[in-house]
Amino acid sequence: MEGLTLLFFWVALPGFLFSAVRRLISRRTKPKGRFPGPRLFPLVGRVHDVPRFSLWLKFKEWADQYGPIYYLRIADQRFIIVTDQQIADELLNKRGNIYSGRPQIRSLINHKQGPAYSALMDRHDIWRTQRKWAHSAMVEAYRHHFYGHVEMEMKRYLGLLLLDPARFYDYTREYCGRVMSRLAWDDATQGRLNGESADQTLHCMSVSGPITNTMTPLWHLPSFINPWYNFEIKREREQRAWWLNNYRLAKQRMLRGELPSDTWAYRYFEQLRRETGSDSLDQPEEKEVFASCMIGFLNLVGVVTISGPLKFFLMAMALHPEWQKKAQEEIDRVCGDRMPTMQDFADLPTVRACLKETVRWRSGVPLGVPHQAERDDEYRGVHIRKGTIILALEWGLNRIPSNYPDGDNFRPERWLEPGWPTYQEPLTRYPNFREGMAMHTFGWGRRTCLGQNIVDDETFVFGAATLWAFNLAQKTCPLTGQPVPIDTQATNSHVILEPLPYQIDIKIRSEERGKQVLEMYNEVRSKLKV
C-alpha cells in the first residue's frame, strides 16, 4: 500500500507543479480586484477540506461566510460559487454566450466531444443538432401529454405498490425508466435496466464517484494498474452497445410497419425517410451511433431527473401527514373514486404545491449544474479566466430568505397563500414546473434543461395518484413504539440526487380503493408487457 501511495504521489506531482507555475505567471496580468472566498493554500487550494459527499452543504457554509459570490480553487480547478439569483441571471443568462461551456469530467471519456451525452457536451455542431432535435421531440410529445403513457404506467406502479409496498424505492425508479423507454423505443420492459444505467452514469460523473474526478492525475496511470479507466471503458462500451441495439431493433420494427408513431425512434426514422427519399433507413454506422446516442440519452436523462424528486416526495408526505391529508381531501373532492389524471391538473393546486415544495426543500441538483467560461471575462471589476467553473448553488438559491422564508423547512403553503414571495395566481395554473417562480432548478441560459414538461406531467400524476390510493407514514419501531427516523439529507451525493434507501409505511386507503387498484393493474398488464 505504501508503494502504491508513493506511485500516486509521483504521478500527481508534475500536474500540481505545472499548475503552481501557471498561477504564478498569471498573477502578473490579473487585475487587482478579486472575489472574496476561503483562504487558498499553495498547490492544493482547498482540496483538503472539501467533502466528496454533500458538497453543497460546505459551499452553502462558505456562502454564508463570504457572501453571494465567492472564489474557490480546488487543486488546479477554479470555481466561482453564486447564491444570488440576480448574479446568476447576469452571468448565466445575460452572458450565456460566454458561460455555456461544460467542464471536463475526468471519469467520463470524451463527453465534451459527444455524441453520447448532449447535456455534458461543449457547444458545437453535434450538441446543437441533438439539442434542436430533442427539443422538438419533447414539445410534440408534451402536446399530447406523452400519449397517456404516464397514466398507464402509473396504474402498473400502484398495483405493484399494493402487492409489495416494501419495494417502493425500486419501483419508483423503474416507473420513471419505463415511461422513458416506452417513449423512446416502445419497450417499457427495459425500464429497470434504464434506471440502473442512469444511476451508474451519474456515479461516474459525480465528485462522490471515482476518485479520479477529484484527483485527476490518477486518470493517467497505465491501464494495467488503472481500475477507474478500465471500468469506464467497459461501462461506456456496454451502454453504447445497448443504445445501438435498441436503435436497430426499432429500425427493423419500423421497416415491418410495427413501430408505434408515438415513439421518438419513429419520429427519427420518418425524418430520415424525408431527408433521403428512401424507405431503406440505411445509414453509415457513425450516423446510427449518433442517432442511438441522441435517443438513448434523452431516454436516460428522464430517469435521473425525476426518480429522485419522486422518492423525496414520498418521504415528505410520510413526514408531514398534515399536508398529506390536505392533498388527499382535495383529490377526493375533485376525483372521487377514479384515479387522478392530467385532466385534473388545474383543480389540484395543493398536490402541485407539495410537489413544488419537495423539489425546493430537497433539490435533486443541490450543487446546480456547472457552467464553464468559454473565454476570459470581467464581472464587477474582477477578471474571470477562461475555464473557470460557475456554480449557481441550487441549495443556496432555494434558501434565500427574501424569496423563501423559513427555507430549511417544508412549507407548501408558500405556493398557495397570498403574502408569500413565491405565491402566484391563478392557482389553476401555478405552481408548476414549466414556468413561474423557482425555475432555476432546471438550469440557466443556453443550457436550460429541456425536460420541464415531462417533469410536470410525470410528477403530478405520480403524486396525485399515489395519494389517491395510499396513506404514507413513518414506520413504527416494534420494540419502542416510536417512529423510525428518516434522515432527509442522506443521499447518494450524485450530481443529480436520489435519497438513500429509507423505510416508510404504505397502506391502501380502503378495501374498495384496493379493488380499484387491482382492476386497473389487470387492465394494463397485457398492454404494458408487465
Side-chain angles (χ1 to χ4, degrees):
M1 179 60 71
E2 183 179 349
L4 188 60
T5 302
L6 191 61
L7 174 63
F8 285 176
F9 173 77
W10 285 113
V11 169
L13 183 60
F16 286 140
L17 290 176
F18 174 76
S19 174
V21 171
R22 187 175 62 182
R23 282 196 301 275
L24 287 172
I25 294 173
S26 69
R27 285 176 183 172
R28 299 179 181 179
T29 59
K30 193 167 59 176
K32 293 182 180 179
R34 60 175 298 172
F35 296 120
R39 178 188 176 190
L40 302 177
F41 294 90
L43 299 181
V44 298
R46 296 296 295 207
V47 73
H48 58 287
D49 64 353
V50 172
R52 293 179 65 220
F53 297 89
S54 300
L55 180 58
W56 52 93
L57 298 180
K58 186 64 176 180
F59 283 1
K60 174 65 163 60
E61 176 189 324
W62 278 332
D64 292 340
Q65 183 176 354
Y66 298 109
I69 180 169
Y70 66 90
Y71 176 78
L72 175 68
R73 180 171 51 79
I74 301 175
D76 62 347
Q77 182 59 64
R78 302 174 302 278
F79 293 85
I80 291 175
I81 313 298
V82 176
T83 56
D84 178 271
Q85 193 162 336
Q86 181 182 344
I87 295 173
D89 179 62
E90 289 173 354
L91 289 174
L92 304 181
N93 287 338
K94 295 177 182 177
R95 302 192 191 189
N97 62 315
I98 300 174
Y99 298 102
S100 291
R102 285 292 193 236
Q104 175 66 52
I105 301 168
R106 186 61 277 165
S107 300
L108 280 186
I109 295 174
N110 294 328
H111 71 86
K112 287 164 72 75
Q113 291 76 34
Y117 311 113
S118 61
L120 305 177
M121 294 180 203
D122 279 334
R123 294 191 301 156
H124 43 56
D125 288 344
I126 294 175
W127 173 77
R128 290 184 184 90
T129 301
Q130 288 195 351
R131 184 174 174 88
K132 181 180 179 181
W133 190 92
H135 174 70
S136 298
M138 191 67 77
V139 167
E140 179 65 16
Y142 173 67
R143 196 166 66 86
H144 300 279
H145 283 294
F146 304 96
Y147 311 102
H149 300 314
V150 172
E151 284 86 354
M152 291 276 284
E153 287 295 339
M154 197 64 213
K155 291 177 181 179
R156 176 186 184 273
Y157 175 84
L158 295 179
L160 293 176
L161 214 55
L162 178 66
L163 297 171
D164 192 0
R167 294 186 61 192
F168 77 92
Y169 188 89
D170 294 331
Y171 290 150
T172 299
R173 184 196 285 169
E174 186 182 3
Y175 158 76
C176 299
R178 286 179 62 92
V179 170
M180 298 307 297
S181 294
R182 171 58 183 83
L183 287 166
W185 315 107
D186 183 43
D187 190 359
T189 63
Q190 299 206 44
R192 182 174 300 174
L193 179 59
N194 192 13
E196 292 170 355
S197 178
D199 183 64
Q200 197 174 69
T201 304
L202 278 176
H203 170 79
C204 289
M205 60 184 281
S206 300
V207 173
S208 61
I211 196 171
T212 45
N213 283 342
T214 49
M215 296 295 291
T216 56
L218 298 180
W219 180 258
H220 302 291
L221 289 170
S223 60
F224 68 91
I225 57 168
N226 192 331
W228 309 284
Y229 175 82
N230 291 325
F231 177 86
E232 173 58 12
I233 288 289
K234 181 175 182 291
R235 185 203 66 79
E236 188 196 38
R237 181 173 61 242
E238 291 176 350
Q239 186 178 67
R240 285 206 187 194
W242 176 52
W243 285 347
L244 187 58
N245 184 58
N246 285 336
Y247 173 91
R248 288 173 174 168
L249 289 173
K251 175 182 172 181
Q252 293 305 313
R253 292 181 65 193
M254 184 75 174
L255 292 171
R256 296 195 300 267
E258 299 173 0
L259 187 66
S261 61
D262 59 3
T263 59
W264 290 321
Y266 183 96
R267 179 184 180 87
Y268 178 80
F269 293 133
E270 274 293 288
Q271 179 180 321
L272 182 61
R273 278 176 172 168
R274 290 194 302 270
E275 291 175 353
T276 63
S278 170
D279 290 333
S280 69
L281 305 180
D282 289 337
Q283 292 187 103
E285 182 171 344
E286 179 183 351
K287 290 192 175 181
E288 287 194 333
V289 169
F290 175 92
S292 66
C293 287
M294 180 171 66
I295 299 172
F297 181 71
L298 187 58
N299 179 17
L300 177 144
V301 76
V303 183
V304 300
T305 54
I306 302 177
S307 175
L310 296 187
K311 291 176 180 179
F312 278 121
F313 172 77
L314 297 177
M315 177 193 292
M317 291 295 93
L319 291 172
H320 299 278
E322 72 283 5
W323 279 102
Q324 179 181 176
K325 183 179 179 182
K326 290 178 182 179
Q328 287 175 328
E329 289 172 350
E330 182 180 79
I331 293 166
D332 292 344
R333 184 173 63 253
V334 172
C335 303
D337 292 331
R338 62 172 178 80
M339 188 190 89
T341 69
M342 277 305 298
Q343 299 301 314
D344 302 304
F345 184 90
D347 298 320
L348 299 177
T350 303
V351 173
R352 288 183 275 114
C354 289
L355 289 161
K356 185 90 169 182
E357 179 65 358
T358 296
V359 172
R360 186 210 63 81
W361 172 67
R362 290 293 178 264
S363 171
V365 283
L367 279 172
V369 180
H371 291 235
Q372 189 169 48
E374 296 174 306
R375 58 180 172 84
D376 286 3
D377 189 29
E378 184 174 309
Y379 181 70
R380 297 188 175 183
V382 177
H383 179 69
I384 299 176
R385 289 172 53 188
K386 177 182 177 180
T388 300
I389 294 174
I390 313 297
L391 271 181
L393 186 68
E394 185 70 8
W395 187 264
L397 291 171
N398 282 337
R399 283 158 177 74
I400 297 173
S402 59
N403 293 344
Y404 308 104
D406 196 20
D408 284 330
N409 290 313
F410 184 80
R411 301 290 297 271
E413 64 265 39
R414 73 177 74 248
W415 310 99
L416 297 170
E417 298 175 1
W420 289 85
T422 42
Y423 176 76
Q424 290 177 280
E425 293 180 331
L427 289 179
T428 54
R429 179 175 177 177
Y430 301 103
N432 64 65
F433 291 116
R434 299 184 314 276
E435 58 183 348
M437 295 289 292
M439 290 304 295
H440 43 72
T441 292
F442 293 93
W444 303 83
R446 291 158 170 80
R447 306 309 297 243
T448 301
C449 174
L450 299 177
Q452 293 101 316
N453 292 331
I454 196 164
V455 171
D456 215 31
D457 278 28
E458 203 169 325
T459 57
F460 172 76
V461 171
F462 179 94
T466 300
L467 294 184
W468 171 80
F470 295 99
N471 289 319
L472 312 176
Q474 287 182 263
K475 285 276 189 184
T476 300
C477 176
L479 295 178
T480 66
Q482 297 299 310
V484 176
I486 298 174
D487 184 350
T488 67
Q489 293 200 48
T491 73
N492 56 15
S493 283
H494 288 169
V495 172
I496 304 175
L497 298 184
E498 288 187 350
L500 292 180
Y502 60 93
Q503 292 183 332
I504 56 174
D505 194 35
I506 302 176
K507 292 181 178 178
I508 197 70
R509 293 182 63 193
S510 69
E511 183 178 342
E512 181 58 34
R513 197 60 51 90
K515 290 178 181 178
Q516 290 176 268
V517 167
L518 284 178
E519 288 171 0
M520 292 188 302
Y521 177 71
N522 288 324
E523 169 197 330
V524 301
R525 285 185 67 185
S526 60
K527 300 175 185 177
L528 298 183
K529 304 173 185 177
V530 175

